[in-house]
Amino acid sequence: SGLALIFGHPGSGKTFLALDIAFHVALGWPWNGRAVKSGLVVYIGAEGANGLRNRIVAFMRHHQIEGEPVPMVLIPISIDLQGADADLPKLIAAIELAVSKCGLPLALIVIDTVSKTFGAGKENTDDMATYVANCQRVSEIFTCCVMPLHHRPKDTESKEPRGHSSLKGGVDTVLLVEG
């Protein structure tokens, strides 16, 4: 449970890493030699849904799991997880429906990306604290890990995620992906 942030520049491999982790969790396969808590994975593909679908198909072909049921649900739309009137109740209802239909506990929610699920908020302000609190609420409701993907600042030297410091301060794990 908790929050695990993956961030990097566009094209660095954030989505590939997140999908690899997501599939391993959904299938109950060890990831990088570590045991995983398997279960349903919900992947919110708010950025580049068509490319995401292609990557999912490629992963399944590469690992020869075509036709096998994989307990993963793709939500390919932008949603607002930032504002006070955010889409949080709708997301929670959609996840509850997926859990009830799948019959497995929820293990992981991937949010791809923060910028496409941030609504009208400003990333460099305290608006980020509301976003992080909403992600933490989802993690607590479903007792699962929530893994937002985010961008790195345009500055190639920075080793910090883009935006307000409440993002890095509010997560349990931070992974920087470099191409």
Side-chain angles (χ1 to χ4, degrees):
S1 63
L3 302 182
L5 177 70
I6 295 178
F7 77 103
H9 286 303
S12 64
K14 298 179 300 292
T15 298
F16 282 106
L17 176 62
L19 273 175
D20 191 57
I21 293 168
F23 267 107
H24 281 78
V25 169
L27 294 165
W29 295 352
W31 187 80
N32 276 349
R34 308 289 245 159
V36 301
K37 176 185 170 190
S38 66
L40 176 64
V41 173
V42 172
Y43 199 108
I44 301 168
E47 182 173 289
N50 288 334
L52 185 58
R53 286 185 183 101
N54 292 339
R55 291 172 182 161
I56 289 170
V57 169
F59 183 96
M60 293 179 72
R61 283 185 183 155
H62 176 76
H63 291 282
Q64 300 176 347
I65 53 176
E66 293 181 57
E68 253 184 76
V70 177
M72 186 183 313
V73 174
L74 173 62
I75 300 175
I77 58 170
S78 295
I79 59 174
D80 178 1
L81 291 177
Q82 190 281 320
D85 297 325
D87 294 327
L88 197 57
K90 292 177 187 174
L91 177 62
I92 290 168
I95 292 170
E96 286 173 340
L97 179 63
V99 169
S100 71
K101 287 188 178 228
C102 180
L104 291 174
L106 186 61
L108 176 64
I109 299 170
V110 179
I111 302 171
D112 190 355
T113 61
V114 170
S115 64
K116 292 294 184 180
T117 58
F118 206 76
K122 305 260 188 281
E123 288 181 4
N124 291 322
T125 69
D126 288 342
D127 289 348
M128 187 63 81
T130 305
Y131 182 88
V132 170
N134 283 338
C135 290
Q136 287 171 333
R137 184 170 168 214
V138 171
S139 172
E140 290 165 5
I141 288 169
F142 294 103
T143 316
C144 72
C145 180
V146 174
M147 189 167 59
L149 278 59
H150 195 39
H151 294 105
R152 194 171 175 182
K154 290 179 183 176
D155 170 8
T156 58
E157 301 299 315
S158 177
K159 300 286 185 193
E160 302 294 322
R162 187 174 77 191
H164 195 268
S165 61
S166 60
L167 175 61
K168 187 175 177 187
V171 298
D172 303 297
T173 302
V174 179
L175 299 171
L176 168 60
V177 177
E178 295 182 314

